Coordinates of all heavy atoms in Angstrom, one line a residue:
P115 N -15.5 -11.0 20.1 CA -15.0 -12.2 20.9 C -15.4 -13.5 20.2 O -16.6 -13.5 19.7 CB -15.7 -12.1 22.2 CG -16.2 -10.7 22.4 CD -16.3 -10.2 21.0
G116 N -14.5 -14.4 20.0 CA -14.9 -15.7 19.4 C -14.9 -15.6 17.9 O -15.2 -16.6 17.2
K119 N -9.8 -14.7 16.1 CA -8.6 -13.8 15.9 C -7.3 -14.6 16.3 O -6.3 -14.5 15.7 CB -8.7 -12.5 16.8 CG -9.9 -11.7 16.4 CD -9.9 -10.3 17.1 CE -10.2 -10.4 18.6 NZ -11.6 -10.8 18.9
T137 N -3.3 -8.3 23.4 CA -3.4 -7.6 24.7 C -4.1 -8.5 25.7 O -3.8 -8.5 26.9 CB -4.1 -6.3 24.5 OG1 -5.2 -6.4 23.6 CG2 -3.2 -5.2 24.0
G138 N -5.1 -9.3 25.2 CA -5.8 -10.3 26.1 C -4.8 -11.3 26.7 O -4.8 -11.5 27.9
F141 N -2.6 -9.5 29.2 CA -3.3 -9.3 30.5 C -3.3 -10.6 31.3 O -3.1 -10.7 32.5 CB -4.7 -8.7 30.3 CG -4.7 -7.3 30.0 CD1 -5.5 -6.8 28.9 CD2 -4.0 -6.3 30.7 CE1 -5.5 -5.5 28.6 CE2 -4.0 -5.0 30.4 CZ -4.8 -4.5 29.3
R142 N -3.7 -11.7 30.6 CA -3.8 -13.0 31.3 C -2.4 -13.4 31.9 O -2.4 -14.0 32.9 CB -4.4 -14.1 30.3 CG -5.9 -14.0 30.2 CD -6.5 -15.1 29.4 NE -6.1 -15.0 28.0 CZ -6.8 -14.3 27.1 NH1 -7.9 -13.6 27.5 NH2 -6.4 -14.2 25.8
L159 N -11.1 -8.1 33.9 CA -11.2 -9.2 32.9 C -12.3 -10.2 33.3 O -13.1 -10.6 32.4 CB -9.9 -9.9 32.7 CG -9.1 -9.4 31.5 CD1 -8.2 -8.2 31.9 CD2 -8.2 -10.5 30.9
L163 N -15.2 -6.7 31.2 CA -15.2 -5.2 30.8 C -13.9 -4.9 30.2 O -12.9 -5.7 30.3 CB -15.4 -4.4 32.0 CG -16.8 -4.6 32.8 CD1 -16.8 -3.9 34.1 CD2 -17.9 -4.3 31.9
L164 N -13.8 -3.7 29.5 CA -12.5 -3.3 28.9 C -11.6 -2.7 30.0 O -12.1 -1.9 30.9 CB -12.8 -2.3 27.8 CG -13.4 -2.8 26.5 CD1 -13.5 -1.7 25.5 CD2 -12.7 -4.0 26.0
V165 N -10.4 -3.0 29.9 CA -9.4 -2.3 30.8 C -9.3 -0.8 30.3 O -9.4 -0.6 29.1 CB -8.0 -3.1 30.6 CG1 -6.9 -2.3 31.4 CG2 -8.1 -4.5 31.1
T170 N -3.9 0.1 29.0 CA -3.8 -0.8 27.8 C -2.8 -0.2 26.8 O -1.9 -0.9 26.3 CB -5.1 -1.0 27.1 OG1 -6.1 -1.4 28.1 CG2 -5.0 -2.0 26.1
G191 N -6.7 -8.0 19.3 CA -7.4 -7.5 20.5 C -7.0 -6.1 20.8 O -7.4 -5.6 21.9
F192 N -6.4 -5.4 20.0 CA -6.0 -4.0 20.1 C -5.9 -3.4 18.7 O -5.3 -4.0 17.8 CB -4.6 -3.9 20.8 CG -4.2 -2.4 21.1 CD1 -4.5 -1.9 22.4 CD2 -3.7 -1.6 20.1 CE1 -4.2 -0.6 22.6 CE2 -3.3 -0.3 20.4 CZ -3.6 0.2 21.7
R194 N -9.2 -1.6 20.7 CA -10.5 -2.0 21.0 C -11.4 -0.7 21.2 O -12.6 -0.8 21.5 CB -10.6 -2.8 22.3 CG -10.8 -4.3 22.0 CD -10.8 -4.9 23.4 NE -11.4 -6.3 23.4 CZ -10.7 -7.4 23.3 NH1 -9.4 -7.4 23.0 NH2 -11.4 -8.5 23.3
Q198 N -7.7 4.2 21.5 CA -6.6 3.3 21.4 C -6.1 3.3 19.9 O -4.9 3.3 19.7 CB -7.0 1.8 21.7 CG -7.3 1.6 23.2 CD -7.6 0.2 23.6 OE1 -7.5 -0.7 22.8 NE2 -8.1 0.0 24.8
R233 N -15.2 -23.3 23.7 CA -13.9 -23.0 24.1 C -13.8 -23.0 25.7 O -12.8 -23.4 26.2 CB -13.6 -21.5 23.7 CG -12.2 -21.1 24.1 CD -11.8 -19.8 23.4 NE -12.3 -18.6 24.1 CZ -12.2 -17.4 23.6 NH1 -11.5 -17.2 22.4 NH2 -12.7 -16.3 24.2
R239 N -11.6 -20.3 30.8 CA -11.5 -18.9 31.0 C -12.8 -18.4 31.7 O -13.9 -18.6 31.2 CB -11.4 -18.2 29.6 CG -9.9 -17.9 29.3 CD -9.8 -17.3 27.9 NE -10.5 -16.0 27.7 CZ -10.4 -15.3 26.6 NH1 -9.6 -15.7 25.7 NH2 -11.1 -14.2 26.5
D241 N -14.0 -15.5 31.9 CA -14.8 -14.6 31.1 C -15.5 -15.2 29.9 O -16.2 -14.6 29.2 CB -13.9 -13.4 30.7 CG -12.8 -13.7 29.7 OD1 -12.4 -14.9 29.6 OD2 -12.3 -12.8 29.0
R250 N -19.0 -8.9 27.4 CA -17.9 -8.7 26.4 C -18.6 -8.3 25.1 O -18.0 -7.5 24.4 CB -17.1 -9.9 26.3 CG -16.1 -10.0 27.5 CD -15.5 -11.4 27.7 NE -14.9 -11.9 26.5 CZ -14.8 -13.2 26.2 NH1 -15.3 -14.1 26.9 NH2 -14.1 -13.6 25.1
Ligands
ADP106 P1 -11.6 -12.1 23.1 O1 -11.8 -13.6 23.2 O2 -12.8 -11.3 23.6 O3 -11.0 -11.7 21.8 P2 -9.1 -11.2 24.5 O4 -8.3 -12.3 24.9 O5 -8.7 -10.4 23.3 O6 -10.6 -11.8 24.3 O7 -9.4 -10.2 25.7 C1 -9.8 -10.6 27.0 C2 -10.1 -9.4 27.9 O8 -8.9 -8.6 28.1 C3 -11.1 -8.4 27.4 O9 -12.4 -8.8 27.7 C4 -10.7 -7.2 28.2 O10 -11.1 -7.2 29.5 C5 -9.2 -7.3 28.2 N1 -8.6 -6.6 27.0 C6 -7.9 -7.1 26.0 N2 -7.5 -6.2 25.1 C7 -8.0 -5.0 25.5 C8 -7.9 -3.7 25.0 N3 -7.3 -3.4 23.8 N4 -8.5 -2.7 25.7 C9 -9.1 -3.0 26.9 N5 -9.2 -4.2 27.4 C10 -8.7 -5.2 26.7

Side-chain angles (χ1 to χ4, degrees):
K119 300 187 293 287
T137 42
F141 286 132
R142 281 186 289 275
L159 264 85
L163 301 174
L164 292 185
V165 174
T170 308
F192 186 97
R194 255 182 163 92
Q198 289 181 14
R233 179 169 83 185
R239 263 176 61 172
D241 64 340
R250 282 159 60 207

